[in-house]
């Protein structure tokens, strides 16, 4: 089987569901996953405006960065499925969704109309009436290695790129606290700039949401909490996405920033995250400014406040949503959620400007159902639940 969807496809309506957090889980400082639903592993935003005058250097500590190896930093299905299973064991019900996947995959699809050079490669399988989608990790890893070795040819540039990457994590560790402000010691707050930076810890929120008739269950990394976490309901409205960017000084940089802001909007919109905080650094990695955006105001900013784009129209978020709606609709129509004998590759090829869905004929189906995506534990659990 071979099906295609043109990049010009748009859904007629984009009826949206308010995202609702179902569960959370986390990656700990040693890189292991804690799939018990522990909200206390979240960190909290605290960075008063006046702290900007302190001219923090976001490259400080670069040499001591505790950086998780790339092979361990892939979107990890076994831990997601374990967390879902624990949640279902508590409720006694299967989570309702047509598609279960990581938010990053959906961000790639949603932003595709404005990022058409991107190559996308995902696996899709149906299990227990739901579709599960994951990255092709091999392609993802080799793409990253290639990018890295290409830039390694110019050591200075390579170092700059590495420090820029680091500065994002440094910014996170500078503006967050391990607990709400009132529960932190003054010394914890004031020594944050000296802390060793690590990207091992992650807090993942799993959210039920959807577009049109398609219901999704998306797992995404959340950076921190804005103020406090309510007992129940509206949790994602209290989350923050942290970003860093170079200070914007000319029209070209403004254009690039708009595209970044668009991608950030997509990322936050999908999980229902309300707050975005950008740290702006100069070429010497000094933090010059910190700006807060409400996710819902970003589409208005992009539409009305846009820098002229050469021969291109403004960034229209609702158009991207119509595309996203069309893709999900097409997927659930073309993959039979009850047919567990098949596996598919979902590929976007920029030269053809189409998505293709190919049925895989090799050993992929067996591998994906034997640990590469589904785990034996999760399969047994769902069989038990269905009885
Ligand atoms: O390529 C990787 N290493 C990826 C890892 C790609 C996509 C996801 N992931 C992992 C994440 O680390 C997390 O454990 O999957 C899980 C869920 O992620 P998600 O929320 O679906 O991923 P996404 O929305 O793409 O990115 C969220 C964060 C990033 O934050 P920023 O502020 O940079 O968007 O996941 C991390 C990163 O912290 N992340 C990556 N880290 C290193 N290399 C990468 C990457 N290529 N992609 C995402
Ligand atoms: Ca972030």
């Amino acid at each position: 089987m071979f099906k295609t969807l043109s990049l010009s496809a748009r859904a007629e309506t984009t009826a949206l569901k308010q995202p609702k957090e179902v569960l959370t889980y986390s990656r700990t400082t040693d890189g292991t996953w804690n799939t018990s639903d522990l909200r206390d592993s979240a960190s909290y935003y605290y960075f008063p405006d006046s702290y900007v005058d302190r001219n923090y250097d976001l490259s400080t500590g670069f040499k001591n960065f505790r950086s998780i190896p790339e092979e361990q930093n892939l979107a990890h299905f076994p831990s997601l499925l374990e967390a879902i299973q624990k949640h279902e064991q508590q409720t006694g019900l299967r989570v309702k969704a047509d598609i279960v996947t990581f938010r990053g995959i959906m961000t790639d699809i949603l932003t595709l109309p404005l990022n058409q050079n991107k190559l996308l490669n995902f696996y899709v399988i149906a299990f227990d009436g739901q579709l599960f989608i994951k990255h092709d990790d091999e392609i993802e890893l080799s793409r990253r290695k290639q990018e890295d070795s290409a830039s390694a040819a110019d050591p200075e540039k390579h170092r700059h790129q590495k420090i820029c990457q680091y500065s994002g994590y440094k910014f996170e560790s500078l503006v967050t606290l391990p607990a709400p402000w009132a529960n932190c010691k003054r010394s914890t707050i004031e020594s944050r700039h000296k802390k060793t930076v690590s990207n091992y810890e992650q807090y993942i929120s799993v959210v039920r949401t959807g577009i049109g008739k398609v219901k999704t269950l998306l797992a995404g990394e959340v950076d921190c909490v804005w103020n406090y976490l309510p007992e129940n309901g509206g949790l994602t409205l209290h989350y923050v996405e942290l970003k860093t960017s170079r200070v914007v000084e000319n029209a070209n940089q403004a254009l690039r920033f708009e595209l970044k802001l668009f991608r950030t909007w997509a990322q936050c919109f999908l999980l229902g995250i309300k707050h975005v905080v950008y740290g702006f650094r100069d070429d010497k990695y000094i933090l010059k400014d910190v700006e807060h955006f409400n996710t819902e105001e970003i589409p208005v900013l992009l539409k009305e406040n846009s820098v002229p784009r050469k021969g291109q129209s403004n960034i229209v978020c609702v158009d991207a949503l119509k595309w996203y709606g069309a893709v999900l609709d097409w997927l659930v129509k073309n993959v039979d959620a009850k047919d567990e004998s098949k596996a598919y590759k979902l590929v976007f090829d920029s030269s053809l400007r189409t998505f293709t869905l190919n049925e895989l004929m090799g050993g992929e189906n067996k591998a994906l159902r034997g640990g590469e995506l589904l785990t034996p534990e999760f399969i047994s659990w769902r069989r038990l639940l269905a009885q």
Side-chain angles (χ1 to χ4, degrees):
M1 193 210 75
F2 180 89
K3 302 264 176 176
T4 62
L5 179 75
S6 155
L7 187 57
S8 60
R10 296 292 182 273
E12 275 170 29
T13 59
T14 52
L16 297 162
K17 260 186 85 75
Q18 178 63 36
K20 189 167 183 284
E21 181 173 277
V22 176
L23 62 108
T24 62
Y25 64 100
S26 53
R27 191 165 72 195
T28 59
T29 165
D30 60 4
T32 56
W33 291 98
N34 182 350
T35 54
S36 305
D37 201 354
L38 278 176
R39 291 209 162 79
D40 45 337
S41 49
S43 50
Y44 289 75
Y45 184 77
Y46 179 73
F47 199 76
D49 288 346
S50 62
Y51 282 25
V52 168
D53 300 334
R54 297 180 178 187
N55 282 310
Y56 285 114
D57 180 347
L58 298 181
S59 70
T60 307
F62 172 58
K63 285 204 192 87
N64 301 322
F65 181 30
R66 281 193 73 230
S67 173
I68 190 164
E70 285 291 355
E71 311 75 55
Q72 284 179 52
N73 197 26
L74 297 159
H76 188 247
F77 254 98
S79 50
L80 168 61
L81 298 179
E82 191 177 285
I84 292 175
Q85 180 178 342
K86 284 187 183 168
H87 174 79
E88 291 177 341
Q89 281 166 336
Q90 277 170 16
T91 62
L93 298 168
R94 187 187 76 146
V95 288
K96 283 198 194 115
D98 303 304
I99 298 177
V100 178
T101 190
F102 283 92
R103 180 262 317 264
I105 287 179
M106 294 307 184
T107 310
D108 280 344
I109 296 178
L110 175 52
T111 55
L112 202 60
L114 283 131
N115 190 14
Q116 300 180 14
N117 292 326
K118 189 137 185 167
L119 290 177
L120 302 182
N121 261 288
F122 306 130
Y123 287 113
V124 184
I125 54 170
F127 172 66
D128 197 20
Q130 301 176 319
L131 307 191
F132 293 76
I133 310 177
K134 74 166 279 193
H135 292 101
D136 182 329
D137 292 337
E138 257 174 65
I139 293 188
E140 183 69 26
L141 278 174
S142 73
R143 188 179 56 83
R144 258 181 269 157
K145 286 219 175 82
Q146 254 175 16
E147 275 174 15
D148 198 55
S149 55
S151 77
D154 181 345
E156 198 129 317
K157 195 173 148 205
H158 191 243
R159 188 178 144 78
H160 176 65
Q161 272 177 2
K162 290 282 168 202
I163 300 180
C164 286
Q165 236 172 40
Y166 170 78
S167 70
Y169 296 111
K170 176 77 184 178
F171 180 65
E172 279 184 26
S173 102
L174 185 65
V175 303
T176 59
L177 290 168
W181 174 80
N183 304 344
C184 289
K185 284 193 294 205
R186 196 185 163 88
S187 57
T188 308
I189 301 171
E190 291 303 325
S191 63
R192 287 182 290 178
H193 64 290
K194 293 187 213 146
K195 229 174 36 181
T196 301
V197 176
S198 150
N199 65 352
Y200 275 78
E201 298 87 341
Q202 280 194 340
Y203 179 78
I204 309 270
S205 170
V206 182
V207 165
R208 218 170 87 81
T209 170
I211 182 159
K213 291 200 185 80
V214 185
K215 309 278 175 284
T216 53
L217 189 75
L218 305 181
E221 199 234 345
V222 169
D223 291 326
C224 62
V225 174
W226 180 242
N227 39 18
Y228 66 96
L229 281 180
E231 282 299 309
N232 46 44
L235 281 144
T236 68
L237 297 173
H238 291 257
Y239 288 150
V240 186
E241 174 60 43
L242 299 171
K243 293 278 182 221
T244 49
S245 184
R246 191 196 178 281
V247 283
V248 176
E249 289 169 331
N250 61 42
N252 262 339
Q253 290 164 355
L255 278 177
R256 234 173 317 176
F257 179 68
E258 278 188 358
L259 276 174
K260 265 180 112 164
L261 196 57
F262 167 65
R263 191 172 168 84
T264 306
W265 164 79
Q267 212 181 8
C268 292
F269 172 86
L270 286 166
L271 289 193
I273 294 174
K274 184 173 172 187
H275 302 277
V276 174
V277 173
Y278 260 93
F280 293 95
R281 49 141 194 96
D282 65 13
D283 286 333
K284 297 203 168 89
Y285 319 107
I286 306 298
L287 181 64
K288 288 297 187 189
D289 197 8
V290 173
E291 204 170 329
H292 171 269
F293 300 87
N294 276 326
T295 302
E296 63 191 17
E297 77 190 14
I298 293 175
V300 185
L301 280 175
L302 292 174
K303 203 172 161 194
E304 290 177 358
N305 215 7
S306 186
V307 190
R309 291 156 54 80
K310 269 176 251 147
Q312 287 172 46
S313 46
N314 290 356
I315 300 173
V316 183
C317 296
V318 69
D319 184 62
L321 278 175
K322 285 183 178 164
W323 154 252
Y324 176 63
V327 176
L328 295 200
D329 216 36
W330 171 76
L331 258 181
V332 298
K333 281 200 179 106
N334 285 289
V335 180
D336 178 358
K338 296 207 167 60
D339 187 351
E340 299 183 2
S341 70
K342 295 190 171 73
Y344 302 85
K345 195 77 186 272
L346 177 63
V347 177
F348 179 75
D349 185 331
S350 51
S351 61
L352 302 172
R353 290 171 52 87
T354 50
F355 249 129
T356 55
L357 184 69
N358 297 310
E359 191 180 330
L360 294 164
M361 296 303 178
E364 295 93 343
N365 191 35
K366 202 164 165 226
L368 288 164
R369 290 168 197 277
E372 282 192 11
L373 196 164
L374 297 176
T375 59
E377 294 77 18
F378 188 71
I379 294 174
S380 318
W381 160 246
R382 282 293 184 84
R383 299 280 185 243
L384 185 70
L385 189 62
Q387 277 172 17

